[in-house]
């Protein structure tokens, strides 16, 4: 019997305050958290489906009790804990070398203080990435970055998001990247940098050929129209991955298991009208479907097991196309 191909599941532990901050709602400064509601549900779902994945944690949360408890619980459950920046600002691509070092270092310290090993993987908030970020990750000994989403839908997601956002913040005009992201590879590769050290990029997989995202908010938005359509969409993406030899890196968020009343202020976000039980059932089905055709691991393990084919993408190209 042959072993099924590799897929990875990662969870971006984005908190309520982070969504409100990106959206420009002043309420974020009170740092509201929905982690106590979401984390036990996610741990249970992962356990139920035998999924050991990677959790990308935000430093500002991990320094607090609920975030530290979440990191400790995921680490105890065998999940890898990786770095998702300190302040969760999706305009991270504007940060200087020094600002990036601070973001990474503070989060690394918080993760270690919470009882997890020092992170070797990073994902930029809102898929933000720059050549400076790749350089800093390489210098700090990271093994991989997982910040890219090779799709053409970034500008549409931005227009949808900013439709309800208060006007006036030019940084919001650069959210989620430009159309050129569609030309980025959909499988693991290496960055070409000035440094001799290597950093692997593991993109968040989009539907092969069509290059449309297949993670939570998108599947849930379809689910609001038709549950059957949402399931068919996700199953088609996995089938195409298998047919074309793409090892999928799949992304989950706390909002995938939270109802509208548990995320006050997030009514603007796609899929928030779907009730909690239906969300939990859908995510459970998604995890079971991936498990049925793939060997599911975390992103760090994914990078180890799937050898990146080429050292092919020049890091300087990252600063164009925003
Ligand atoms: Zn995030």
């Amino acid at each position: 019997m042959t072993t099924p191909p590799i897929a990875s599941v990662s969870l971006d532990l984005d908190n309520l305050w982070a969504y409100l901050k990106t959206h420009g709602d002043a309420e974020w400064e009170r740092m509201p958290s929905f982690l106590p509601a979401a984390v036990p549900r996610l741990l249970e779902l992962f356990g139920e489906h035998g999924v050991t994945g990677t959790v990308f944690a935000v430093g500002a949360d991990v320094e607090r009790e609920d975030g530290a408890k979440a990191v400790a619980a995921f680490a105890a459950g065998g999940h890898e804990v990786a770095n998702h920046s300190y302040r969760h600002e999706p305009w991270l691509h504007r940060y200087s070398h020094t600002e990036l070092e601070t973001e990474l270092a503070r989060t690394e310290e918080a993760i270690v203080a919470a009882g997890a090993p020092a992170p070797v993987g990073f994902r930029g908030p809102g898929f933000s990435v720059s050549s400076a970020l790749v350089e800093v990750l390489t210098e700090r000994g990271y093994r991989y970055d997982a910040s890219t989403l090779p799709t053409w839908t970034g500008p549409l997601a931005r227009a949808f998001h900013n439709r309800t956002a208060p006007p006036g913040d030019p940084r919001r005009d650069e959210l989620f990247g430009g159309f050129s992201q569609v030309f980025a590879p959909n499988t693991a590769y290496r960055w070409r940098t000035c440094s001799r050290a290597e950093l692997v990029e593991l993109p968040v997989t989009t539907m092969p050929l069509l290059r449309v995202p297949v993670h939570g908010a998108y599947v849930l938005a379809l689910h609001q129209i038709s549950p059957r359509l949402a399931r068919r969409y996700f199953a088609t993406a996995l089938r195409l991955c298998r047919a074309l030899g793409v090892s999928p890196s799949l992304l989950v968020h706390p909002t995938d298991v939270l109802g509208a009343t548990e995320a006050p202020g997030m009514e603007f976000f796609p899929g928030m009208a779907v009730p909690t039980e239906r969300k939990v059932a859908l995510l459970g089905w998604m995890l079971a479907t991936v498990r049925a055709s793939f060997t599911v691991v975390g992103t760090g393990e994914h990078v180890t097991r799937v050898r990146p084919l080429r050292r092919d993408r020049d890091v300087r190209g990252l600063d164009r196309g925003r």
Side-chain angles (χ1 to χ4, degrees), residues 244-309:
L244 298 169
V246 173
S247 282
S249 165
L250 302 162
L251 174 56
V252 173
H253 287 96
T255 45
D256 297 345
V257 295
L258 294 172
T261 55
E262 294 167 308
M266 278 191 67
E267 293 75 19
F268 63 89
F269 198 71
M272 287 317 289
V274 179
T276 308
E277 317 75 68
R278 280 174 57 194
K279 284 189 166 186
V280 170
L282 179 64
L283 183 57
W285 174 84
M286 287 165 78
L287 294 176
T289 306
V290 183
R291 277 289 310 263
S293 310
F294 294 91
T295 304
V296 181
V297 295
T299 43
E301 185 71 12
H302 186 155
V303 167
T304 305
R305 309 252 295 251
V306 178
R307 286 203 153 269
L309 291 178

Side-chain angles (χ1 to χ4, degrees), residues 12 14 84 88 125:
D12 285 2
D14 298 346
H84 194 33
H88 200 279

Side-chain angles (χ1 to χ4, degrees), residues 204-257:
V204 172
T205 304
T206 53
M207 173 106 68
L209 310 176
L210 296 178
R211 292 297 182 98
V212 282
V214 292
H215 56 269
Y218 291 85
V219 180
L220 280 164
L222 277 181
H223 189 86
Q224 272 180 292
I225 303 164
S226 157
R228 190 189 292 178
L229 181 66
R231 288 176 188 221
R232 198 174 290 167
Y233 178 78
F234 186 73
T236 302
L238 292 186
R239 216 170 293 131
L240 280 173
C241 284
R242 274 209 74 151
L244 298 169
V246 173
S247 282
S249 165
L250 302 162
L251 174 56
V252 173
H253 287 96
T255 45
D256 297 345
V257 295

Side-chain angles (χ1 to χ4, degrees), residues 62-143:
V62 186
E63 276 184 358
R64 306 194 308 172
E65 197 188 344
D66 54 346
K69 269 173 72 177
V71 160
F74 280 113
H79 303 277
E80 175 191 9
V81 179
N83 191 332
H84 194 33
S85 84
Y86 182 79
R87 290 176 285 178
H88 200 279
E89 296 198 331
W91 33 85
L92 196 82
H93 54 276
R94 289 175 159 225
Y95 282 20
S96 69
H97 200 278
T98 316
E99 286 171 319
L100 287 165
E101 280 181 334
T102 309
E103 279 281 315
L104 292 170
R106 286 187 78 174
T107 307
E108 288 160 14
E109 282 160 25
I111 288 173
V112 172
V120 296
F122 180 83
R123 176 170 291 142
F127 311 107
S128 53
V129 58
S130 63
S131 60
L133 173 67
V134 172
E135 301 283 359
V136 175
L137 289 171
T138 310
E139 285 163 18
R140 298 186 75 79
Y142 277 72
R143 284 180 49 229

